Amino acid sequence: MSFLTLQGNKMIIENQKDAEFSSAFKPSQPAQASRFKRWLASMINGLVLWVMVGLGFALGDFAGVVGTIVYVGFQLYFMKTYGQTMAKRWLGLRVFNYHTNQPVEFGKYIGREIIDILLAWTSFLLIISGIVALVRDDRRSLTDLLAGTIVLKDEK
């Protein structure tokens, strides 16, 4: 037998044996990021990189390297401070550990971004990664599968 009680503004089910009934009262999981927003975040990060590198090279050959270093510094700052890249923060997306549903740690985020860069260098694998995200129901890219992550909407 089950009893429903109100505690503050929450309903609590005591001695619940019916799993289907209790599942309706579970807190909601963060929603999956849309495929478009994931693509847009990738494009924004790439655009910001090319603008900073381009401005750097416009100022001189060595300044292009400085532009790249500044871009990497900004991304590291955003990942360490907010747990998101610049574009993911602007678009309200967050990378979570697929198995724990917790935001990824800084080191794992860096590893994920390195995988993404390696896939981008091969171009072909980057396209494959995008196709994987398009066809999978959970919208996980090849990068997500390799890093054990998932991109969700940021609830904060």
Side-chain angles (χ1 to χ4, degrees), residues 19 46 65 99-100 119 126:
V65 173
H99 302 290
T100 65
L119 292 178
L126 186 64

Side-chain angles (χ1 to χ4, degrees), residues 9 17-18 26 41 43 54 74 77 79-80 87 92 94 125:
N9 60 356
K17 292 181 183 177
D18 185 0
K26 288 182 181 176
M43 293 297 107
F74 273 124
Y77 170 78
M79 284 187 274
K80 181 68 174 167
R94 185 173 294 274
L125 288 177

Side-chain angles (χ1 to χ4, degrees), residues 117-133:
I117 290 168
L118 293 174
L119 292 178
W121 277 348
T122 62
S123 296
F124 175 73
L125 288 177
L126 186 64
I127 292 168
I128 297 298
S129 183
I131 291 170
V132 168

Side-chain angles (χ1 to χ4, degrees), residues 128-146:
I128 297 298
S129 183
I131 291 170
V132 168
L134 286 173
V135 299
R136 289 183 58 95
D137 288 337
D138 61 5
R139 302 176 187 164
R140 293 176 69 204
S141 66
L142 185 57
T143 302
D144 290 319
L145 295 172
L146 292 171

